Amino acid sequence: MSDQSPSELNWWRTGPTLVTETFDEDDVVFDPATGETHFLTELPALLLTAIDRQPASHRDIVTRLAGAETELDAADEARVLAALQFLVAAELVESAEFSAN
Amino acid sequence: MAAHDDKTSKNRRRLIKALSSVPVVMTLNSGAAASNASSLQCARKDREDGFYKKHWSEVSYSHECNTGGMCKDSDGFVYRKMHYWKGSEAEKSSSYQGSMQCPDYVVRGHNADGSLVYVNKDGGPLSHVVRENGSYGDSLILEVMDGNQVAYRIKSRRGYGAYIGKTDYSETSWRTKGYAPKTKIGWSTEPGEHQMIRGSCMNSFLHSDTKLTNV
């Protein structure tokens, strides 16, 4: 895990295709890379749909998802970052600090 | 372009709604309590061991499923849709009294020797579990502990589990000890005998009514 502040991180996923099914209140995601099944609430599930192999900041991910005109206040940004950290902890997403190049 | 805009607009509304909820990610461990390795690693090892690997094919499907519920993902791995149970305190039966917390998820899997085991979402085994049929087709799990009986009515849901490996999913079957291709090779006296994935490989989300027989 990086020591960088989450707001300075890039996020991406390199694993195989996830198998996802949506129920009433959960997304159920099977990760063939680990053999684990994850139960996601709406925010991490939504963010996961916008994360691919191309590293992106949390703002880029929100833009991919909801368009460039979407603006988040500080509290919303914190929620997005918390959700991304959940995904990293579940090994569904990887993160590292911004590259300078 | 309009479709893209519609999707972005819809996602924006979903994002605003999602930001009002608490982000939670819960993980159900691979293979429940019985397996030390992930089912995929286990399946891969089985696939790569010995000369039986020649049976496995590299035909690519994209989440197609046969009538037996065997599916193949875009990476070529076969899996089977299965069921798991999710309970809640609200679904707790009023017929019984007790102080135990209802387990969030109950999964029925197999021990390495093929015997059944019920586990909670943390992979810990539930002891003294007796399953009965609910009145409306739901599963009812009755857990007996310290002389107190606590009943939970838990609806089954469809999940995913039991990744098998790369094979031709049109040649699949379920046997009491696990998955096996139907095609007989070598000197086996039983179809698929040597390709059978052992019980310890099974990452089972089994509906109580699922019968592990040939499909």
Side-chain angles (χ1 to χ4, degrees), chain A residues 68-81:
Chain A
E69 62 272 33
T70 304
E71 293 186 6
L72 303 180
D73 61 24
D76 285 343
E77 287 210 14
R79 292 187 186 96
V80 168
L81 290 168

Side-chain angles (χ1 to χ4, degrees), chain B residues 70-88:
Chain B
M70 300 299 301
C71 308
K72 177 162 280 188
D73 69 16
S74 56
D75 294 314
F77 283 89
V78 168
Y79 62 93
R80 178 172 170 138
K81 292 181 180 178
M82 291 180 162
H83 288 75
Y84 65 96
W85 292 289
K86 179 182 179 182
S88 71

Side-chain angles (χ1 to χ4, degrees), chain B residues 40-138:
Chain B
L40 183 59
Q41 289 171 327
C42 195
R44 276 182 170 154
K45 184 176 185 306
D46 240 40
R47 174 166 57 96
E48 292 163 1
D49 276 350
F51 62 88
Y52 309 111
K53 63 184 180 184
K54 69 182 181 182
H55 175 81
W56 304 95
S57 68
E58 301 296 327
V59 179
S60 176
Y61 295 86
S62 179
H63 294 264
E64 296 177 8
C65 302
N66 67 12
T67 55
M70 300 299 301
C71 308
K72 177 162 280 188
D73 69 16
S74 56
D75 294 314
F77 283 89
V78 168
Y79 62 93
R80 178 172 170 138
K81 292 181 180 178
M82 291 180 162
H83 288 75
Y84 65 96
W85 292 289
K86 179 182 179 182
S88 71
E89 198 64 20
E91 292 170 331
K92 186 175 175 179
S93 169
S94 59
S95 303
Y96 299 89
Q97 299 297 320
S99 58
M100 286 180 53
Q101 294 296 307
C102 181
D104 290 334
Y105 296 97
V106 176
V107 176
R108 192 178 79 169
H110 290 84
N111 286 313
D113 63 1
S115 60
L116 289 175
V117 59
Y118 289 86
V119 298
N120 61 26
K121 67 182 177 62
D122 298 320
L126 297 173
S127 58
H128 308 298
V129 173
V130 177
R131 188 196 158 274
E132 297 178 356
N133 290 322
S135 302
Y136 303 99
D138 299 336

Side-chain angles (χ1 to χ4, degrees), chain A residues 13 16-20 27-40 48 86-93, chain B residues 25-32 35-41 107 121-123 159-163 201 203-205:
Chain A
R13 172 176 171 77
T17 305
L18 297 168
V19 181
T20 303
D27 265 21
V28 181
V29 175
F30 184 88
D31 184 356
T34 62
E36 292 178 333
T37 301
H38 306 276
F39 301 86
L40 313 182
L48 189 57
F86 271 109
L87 293 172
V88 170
E91 299 180 339
L92 289 168
V93 168
Chain B
V25 176
M26 291 185 294
T27 299
L28 190 65
N29 291 331
S30 163
S35 177
N36 291 325
S38 78
S39 56
L40 183 59
Q41 289 171 327
V107 176
K121 67 182 177 62
D122 298 320
Y160 292 92
Y163 256 74
C201 281
N203 183 17
S204 301
F205 299 85

